[in-house]
Amino acid sequence: MLGRKIHVVFTGAPGCGKGTQARILTEKIDIPHLSTGEILRAEIKKATPQGLQLKELLDKGNLATDEMIIDIVSCRIDEPDCKDGFILDGFPRTCPQAEAMQKMFAEKNIKLDAVIEIQVPDEIIMERILGRYACMKCGQGYHDKFLKPKVYGVCDKCGGTDFYRRIDDNRETVQNRLVNYRALTYPTIPYFENQGLLRTVDGTSTIEAVSKKIDEVLGIDK
Ligand code: AP5
Ligand code: MG
């Protein structure tokens, strides 16, 4: 534990490393990693009517509605495991979500420490996303080139031997996700910058080097 509460948002283009860095940080400071993408994918798996609607949106790289996402996040951060803080990954993703988050945090007496933007150019993004896969059992992420399991075909973390690739990780969908990022999510960057909350980290170096920079930004000494 860190000995203080920490509330942090990871933002940035698809594939910039939000999930990778959030997972590393959560292991160091033991606070939950709340990925709205993962929450939505879990809903899709249940095949509920809402899940089927979401599947149509996510498979094409389009966003879920602000109302739904805001409601999901508001309920999730009320759960007991969030009492010492949390890492939000992929939320807020639009200006209305950013404004709703600020309002929600004020009502719940939560202090936002930082919004960390992981900056990676588009040409790197495509290679990162198209090479990504994850362990079916524990969700640990890997990459064909940048992050291979120590033993071929065996998850380092849980020993699982089944892996999957995300349906939205294809070239066409990634192009659309990038278009949506620029149009809808990027405008939240100046919004947080104006409030003195934005910390931009260069995401083009190695996973370990990016993690070190994030630790420095958050004042984590590990
Ligand atoms: P989400 O799951 O959040 O997808 P995303 O934003 O497109 O981001 P990714 O998960 O693809 O990438 P990442 O930044 O986590 O990168 P990763 O660490 O895996 O959302 C999915 C969908 O859900 C959205 O498109 C939308 O439809 C919906 N949604 C979610 N939130 C929403 C919201 N708030 N509102 C509305 N709709 C919402 O890294 C990628 C790969 O690169 C990995 O293989 C990794 O190993 C590798 N890698 C990472 N860092 C490095 C490095 N430094 N060097 C080399 N390789 C690296
Ligand atoms: Mg992710």
Side-chain angles (χ1 to χ4, degrees):
M1 277 309 298
L2 194 59
R4 65 181 158 97
K5 291 189 183 192
I6 189 158
H7 304 99
V8 54
V9 166
F10 278 134
T11 191
C16 70
K18 301 182 292 295
T20 302
Q21 295 301 333
R23 269 188 289 277
I24 294 174
L25 187 58
T26 200
E27 278 172 15
K28 278 186 205 153
I29 59 175
D30 195 24
I31 56 172
H33 164 204
L34 314 181
S35 156
T36 43
E38 279 172 20
I39 293 170
L40 295 175
R41 284 187 286 278
E43 190 59 34
I44 291 173
K45 253 194 186 161
K46 289 186 211 154
T48 56
Q50 189 185 49
L52 294 176
Q53 277 179 0
L54 282 169
K55 182 169 166 45
E56 276 221 10
L57 290 169
L58 267 71
D59 284 0
K60 293 194 185 110
N62 293 324
L63 299 193
T65 64
D66 288 336
E67 294 71 24
M68 181 199 291
I69 289 287
I70 291 161
D71 192 43
I72 287 173
V73 172
S74 177
C75 292
R76 181 63 187 88
I77 65 177
D78 285 342
E79 286 180 30
D81 63 334
C82 291
K83 70 174 183 358
D84 292 324
F86 47 78
I87 303 160
L88 280 166
D89 157 9
F91 175 90
R93 205 179 282 247
T94 62
C95 286
Q97 289 181 23
E99 284 159 15
M101 181 186 75
Q102 303 275 67
K103 191 164 165 267
M104 181 196 303
F105 281 13
E107 283 164 8
K108 297 180 197 282
N109 208 13
I110 292 170
K111 180 183 162 286
L112 179 61
D113 293 279
V115 174
I116 299 184
E117 178 203 12
I118 306 176
Q119 242 180 23
V120 175
D122 287 6
E123 53 276 18
I124 296 181
I125 293 290
M126 198 52 93
E127 188 183 21
R128 283 199 186 170
I129 295 189
L130 297 184
R132 169 171 58 187
Y133 62 99
C135 172
M136 199 88 107
K137 203 165 142 195
C138 73
Q140 175 64 33
Y142 294 99
H143 191 279
D144 292 328
K145 191 165 151 193
F146 304 125
L147 186 62
K148 299 179 186 176
K150 290 189 186 82
V151 177
Y152 178 78
V154 182
C155 175
D156 295 344
K157 216 171 162 188
C158 74
T161 51
D162 292 322
F163 297 86
Y164 70 95
R165 291 182 193 261
R166 274 169 46 181
I167 293 171
D168 59 343
D169 282 355
N170 62 76
R171 198 171 286 278
E172 197 187 340
T173 304
V174 175
Q175 298 286 13
N176 191 38
R177 282 158 63 193
L178 283 168
V179 167
N180 281 328
Y181 175 75
R182 275 187 222 105
L184 301 169
T185 310
Y186 190 74
T188 64
I189 299 292
Y191 173 85
F192 288 119
E193 192 172 21
N194 289 337
Q195 297 178 37
L197 286 164
L198 186 74
R199 306 284 180 271
T200 299
V201 166
D202 173 9
T204 59
S205 44
T206 62
I207 292 174
E208 294 71 26
V210 176
S211 166
K212 198 160 171 269
K213 280 185 234 161
I214 291 172
D215 287 353
E216 281 165 18
V217 161
L218 294 174
I220 293 169
D221 187 19
K222 285 198 183 181

